[in-house]
Amino acid sequence: MPSQIHRRHLAPSESLASMFQFCSRLEAMARELVNPISDLFDVACRHHTVKVSCQCGNVGIFDPHALWYLFERKGWNDRLPAVRKRMRCLQCYYAKRKRTLATLELADVDHTRQLPMPDIVEWKRQLRRRR
């Protein structure tokens, strides 16, 4: 008899799988709320790519580690609003168009723009420093 009661309350495997996916999404959302992405280092730690798009339609997708390293070497502010102000569309620059603010998005696709990657020792040092 107890096994029949237990079977009545068990959901089919499909609903268990969907419940697991829902719980994992909730966990990821909670993690994002506790530790919001505020700078390039946070983006690199979460392995998102940075998609930068201009109003002219030009789009560049950057590896977050390399973009963080560029900002670190230059001594620039790597907060996302400041990164947005630093990005410049080369097509608009060569066409001598007025500079406009870029749009930043976090994506999970392969990068299209190549920048030098940080040395593994430098990356590990920054990870230890920020934890």
Side-chain angles (χ1 to χ4, degrees):
M1 186 73 176
S3 62
Q4 290 175 351
I5 294 172
H6 184 67
R7 283 188 198 144
R8 286 184 198 158
H9 295 290
L10 257 183
S13 62
E14 290 178 355
S15 56
L16 284 177
S18 63
M19 183 179 282
F20 176 73
Q21 289 174 350
F22 177 73
C23 289
S24 63
R25 281 194 304 259
L26 280 180
E27 184 179 311
M29 287 174 20
R31 194 175 319 121
E32 292 291 326
L33 290 175
V34 171
N35 299 320
I37 296 175
S38 60
D39 59 9
L40 286 175
F41 193 83
D42 293 338
V43 175
C45 285
R46 295 196 177 124
H47 304 291
H48 295 296
T49 52
V50 180
K51 183 178 179 182
V52 182
S53 51
C54 179
Q55 291 179 353
C56 73
N58 189 20
V59 176
I61 302 172
F62 294 91
D63 182 83
H65 304 89
L67 195 58
W68 165 81
Y69 188 55
L70 172 72
F71 275 70
E72 183 75 15
R73 282 184 298 138
K74 299 279 187 174
W76 295 340
N77 185 1
D78 71 338
R79 297 271 184 196
L80 292 180
V83 170
R84 184 174 177 229
K85 292 176 185 175
R86 284 273 178 193
M87 300 310 265
R88 175 100 191 229
C89 175
L90 287 178
Q91 289 180 357
C92 291
Y93 177 74
Y94 291 133
K96 298 189 183 344
R97 284 179 248 173
K98 187 177 178 185
R99 186 174 184 170
T100 59
L101 282 179
T103 304
L104 290 181
E105 297 176 44
L106 302 181
D108 291 323
V109 295
D110 290 335
H111 59 278
T112 59
R113 306 294 164 99
Q114 293 291 329
L115 292 172
M117 293 292 282
D119 185 29
I120 191 70
V121 174
E122 176 66 23
W123 177 251
K124 295 290 185 179
R125 182 181 306 127
Q126 290 296 325
L127 276 175
R128 281 192 304 269
R129 196 188 98 182
R130 293 177 185 235
R131 286 193 182 175

